[in-house]
Amino acid sequence: MKTTDKIKLIIVDDHPMVLEGLRAMLNQIAYVDLTAIANNAYEAIELIKIHQPDMVLTDINMPEISGMELAKKIKSDFPDIKIIGMSTFNERSYITQMIQNGADGYLVKNANKEEIEKCLLAVDEGKMYLSVALNLNPTEKKELSEIPILSSREKEVLELIAEGFTNQQIAEKIFISPHTVDSHRKSLMAKLNASNTAVLIKQAAKFNFI
């Protein structure tokens, strides 16, 4: 990040006290431009359309649309926006699902200002950041940071491949050309480090994509 730049950030949480605490903390960080605050996922999507932020810091456990679903929607519609999940939960299943849906980092809500700064800078530089409070061993951290990020269309194609459909059949089912299906298949093979369809499905199961 250039010193003259600021990270345009939107925070999303349905708890007013959490929002106020985060607002106060983020306003003390010189390189952060706190662009907007949303109380739910619906507000967040509208504010993202208006402000085009660099990053979204979102709670995971929200009513109606969770932070995990919001992350998936953001990555589908605004793939360049970085996402940091935030929660009181430190269970691996929550973290894994958040990362699978496109999150670039995960903070536990009791993180202090120093850790939030560290997280924002790491994610801004394109690195995965996982909260120190998660108490993960190096192997677990490595496994989580290596979860591939798939687009919603890639996930859709992957599920159909796993069901045994051919490129032509997939194309007809989701109304795209066989050439586009083939492009998605090649991208999936690369992201999941698979040399053939059998390995692709095995890798997809390993990461709980199917």
Side-chain angles (χ1 to χ4, degrees):
M1 184 179 70
K2 297 171 187 173
T3 52
T4 53
D5 286 347
K6 284 194 172 190
I7 299 171
K8 287 177 68 178
L9 179 71
I10 286 177
I11 51 178
V12 191
D13 200 298
D14 62 319
H15 295 93
M17 286 180 66
V18 173
L19 285 173
E20 284 309 308
L22 281 169
R23 187 210 295 266
M25 208 177 289
L26 291 164
N27 281 336
Q28 295 173 29
I29 302 174
Y31 54 80
V32 169
D33 173 11
L34 183 52
T35 311
I37 289 174
N39 295 293
N40 56 57
Y42 296 110
E43 278 186 23
I45 293 296
E46 290 308 309
L47 290 168
I48 287 167
K49 288 175 185 173
I50 295 165
H51 297 288
Q52 299 291 308
D54 303 306
M55 205 175 287
V56 172
L57 178 60
T58 180
D59 185 19
I60 288 177
N61 189 29
M62 295 188 293
E64 295 188 46
I65 297 177
S66 71
M68 287 176 270
E69 293 170 296
L70 176 60
K72 188 175 182 179
K73 173 73 173 166
I74 293 170
K75 279 299 177 182
S76 173
D77 295 354
F78 312 96
D80 293 333
I81 293 178
K82 303 276 177 47
I83 302 166
I84 298 168
M86 180 179 57
S87 178
T88 52
F89 304 114
N90 61 4
E91 292 179 27
R92 175 155 179 171
S93 59
Y94 284 100
I95 308 160
T96 302
Q97 194 173 343
M98 196 66 189
I99 294 170
Q100 284 172 340
N101 283 359
D104 303 276
Y106 189 101
L107 279 171
V108 173
K109 278 191 177 180
N110 61 4
N112 58 27
K113 178 171 170 275
E114 182 182 0
E115 186 179 11
I116 290 172
E117 286 193 65
K118 196 182 291 185
C119 176
L120 294 177
L121 286 173
V123 169
D124 185 59
E125 290 170 4
K127 299 171 186 170
M128 171 70 68
Y129 185 89
L130 298 170
S131 178
V132 293
L134 298 176
N135 298 320
L136 299 171
N137 64 44
T139 303
E140 288 174 321
K141 277 193 175 182
K142 187 171 185 291
E143 285 174 0
L144 284 169
S145 65
E146 287 176 351
I147 293 173
I149 303 300
L150 307 184
S151 70
S152 55
R153 181 63 95 187
E154 284 173 338
K155 284 184 180 178
E156 191 176 14
V157 170
L158 179 59
E159 285 165 7
L160 291 169
I161 290 171
E163 288 176 26
F165 292 104
T166 65
N167 282 10
Q168 182 64 45
Q169 289 169 326
I170 293 170
E172 289 168 6
K173 271 185 169 295
I174 59 177
F175 308 106
I176 58 176
S177 72
H179 174 74
T180 303
V181 175
D182 189 54
S183 296
H184 285 312
R185 185 188 281 267
K186 285 175 181 171
S187 174
L188 287 164
M189 302 277 269
K191 286 183 178 182
L192 293 169
N193 194 27
S195 54
N196 56 49
T197 303
V199 176
L200 179 68
I201 293 168
K202 184 179 175 183
Q203 288 287 85
K206 172 187 168 186
F207 291 115
N208 295 316
F209 287 130
I210 56 173

